[in-house]
Amino acid sequence: MLKDSRLLFKLWLKNPRSIGAVAVSGQELAAAMARQIPKNAEGYIVELGGGTGAVTRAILASGVAPERLVVIERDPMLHKHLVERFPTAKVLLGDALHLPSLLKRHGIAPVAAIVSSLPLLSLKKSIQLRIGAQAFTVLEPGAPFIQFTYGLFSPLPRGRLGIVGEVEERVLQNLPPASVWRYCRPAGAIARAHGKSKLDHAA
């Protein structure tokens, strides 16, 4: 973990805006996120913002098979680090803002859950909205979007995205203390989205 923290700090010094945190997620926080993944769901588990691999390791330890895990990291150095550390998982160099096209390019579907370590609260509201919209475009109906935050408020704009979500776990022993949110799109919202899509095509 010390080595990983040094790597993150080195990257942060190089480009502070490209790195969301200078501390590696603690084991308790990573495990809390992994516990939110549905146990019997079929499909891929997609991790956004793999970083140094703390959450990746917890996801694999929870029983997710490496061939079902897709890790997306936009920093080239961290991407290389993840490829070397998790050679049996699918680690992609890319940005969550282009999630549907990135997954389609690699034939990744269906998506049973998304686990995100992106620093959403530090991003512009428009970026938060776009990342959330991209995520729920690829998620299977009812599948969860799992996100941790150090902040007090929801990292995703629930009303504007038509989703529901709440804090599932608070990890007070993490430094700093963190909350794990779990979001999903309710069945009624899914039906309305499909109906709107049909009307758009008919028009």
Side-chain angles (χ1 to χ4, degrees):
M1 183 173 290
L2 181 60
K3 182 179 178 182
D4 290 349
S5 295
R6 287 173 177 167
L7 174 59
L8 271 185
F9 187 64
K10 178 181 178 181
L11 291 172
W12 181 81
L13 286 175
K14 183 178 179 182
N15 189 354
R17 291 190 176 185
S18 70
I19 302 298
V22 293
V24 176
S25 299
Q27 293 181 0
E28 293 85 359
L29 174 56
M33 295 182 74
R35 280 195 290 272
Q36 300 305 318
I37 299 172
K39 297 300 180 185
N40 300 318
E42 296 183 358
Y44 290 95
I45 309 302
V46 175
E47 181 188 358
L48 303 180
T52 59
V55 176
T56 311
R57 186 165 51 247
I59 292 172
L60 293 172
S62 73
V64 173
E67 60 270 18
R68 291 182 60 213
L69 179 58
V70 180
V71 185
I72 296 174
E73 174 56 54
R74 72 174 186 175
D75 183 88
M77 188 175 293
L78 289 175
H79 172 261
K80 181 176 182 294
H81 171 81
L82 290 166
V83 169
E84 293 172 350
R85 175 166 284 190
F86 305 102
T88 55
K90 188 181 290 292
V91 182
L92 306 180
L93 180 63
D95 196 310
L97 286 171
H98 310 294
L99 187 60
S101 59
L102 181 62
L103 297 185
K104 184 177 181 180
R105 191 183 315 142
H106 292 272
I108 296 167
V111 178
I114 290 178
V115 182
S116 169
S117 297
L118 299 177
L120 292 180
L121 286 181
S122 68
L123 303 177
K124 293 180 179 179
K125 293 291 185 182
S126 60
I127 301 298
Q128 294 177 13
L129 185 63
R130 183 174 170 186
I131 289 175
Q134 298 286 301
F136 282 96
T137 295
V138 302
L139 280 167
E140 287 292 286
F145 181 99
I146 301 153
Q147 171 75 45
F148 90 85
T149 182
Y150 301 129
L152 299 176
F153 306 104
S154 172
L156 285 177
R158 289 167 288 183
R160 294 187 66 184
L161 287 170
I163 60 177
V164 295
E166 60 184 14
V167 175
E168 294 293 338
E169 292 196 45
R170 298 189 190 276
V171 188
L172 301 180
Q173 60 268 51
N174 192 76
L175 292 175
S179 299
V180 178
W181 286 74
R182 176 175 169 139
Y183 302 90
C184 68
R185 179 165 282 160
I190 295 171
R192 287 194 297 273
H194 283 310
K196 183 178 184 301
S197 176
K198 289 179 180 179
L199 288 173
D200 290 342
H201 285 300

